[in-house]
Amino acid sequence: MTRPEREPKRRLRPVRLFAGVLCLLLGLTLMLLLGLGVLGPGAGVGGAPALIALMPSVAIGATVFALGLWLVATGRGR
């Protein structure tokens, strides 16, 4: 029999895995679109070099990807 305080964690495990996979796909899609040039730097970059202008967008994609990895890794049972 499981302890009562562990029960909510088991119920949320599939939600965490789904959210993690969704974040992984979103992060990969964002980075792919940036790499293909579909998404570009924001309008207010001025004369900044292209790599510096893309830095915030790539950081957001990498952060979403890392969040997905964390959700998937901690959502699995041992």
Side-chain angles (χ1 to χ4, degrees):
M1 182 150 162
T2 61
R3 297 185 309 195
E5 65 267 6
R6 295 196 62 147
E7 199 59 39
K9 288 183 181 180
R10 289 183 186 218
R11 248 185 316 174
L12 293 177
R13 187 172 293 156
V15 176
R16 284 182 73 101
L17 288 175
F18 178 72
V21 170
L22 195 65
C23 284
L24 287 172
L25 292 175
L26 182 64
L28 286 174
T29 303
L30 181 61
M31 286 191 245
L32 178 70
L33 290 175
L34 284 168
L36 293 175
V38 175
L39 295 177
V45 279
L51 290 177
I52 303 279
L54 282 175
M55 207 162 167
S57 302
V58 172
I60 290 171
T63 303
V64 169
F65 185 78
L67 176 68
L69 281 179
W70 177 74
L71 285 170
V72 168
T74 57
R76 290 187 176 181
R78 294 180 186 193

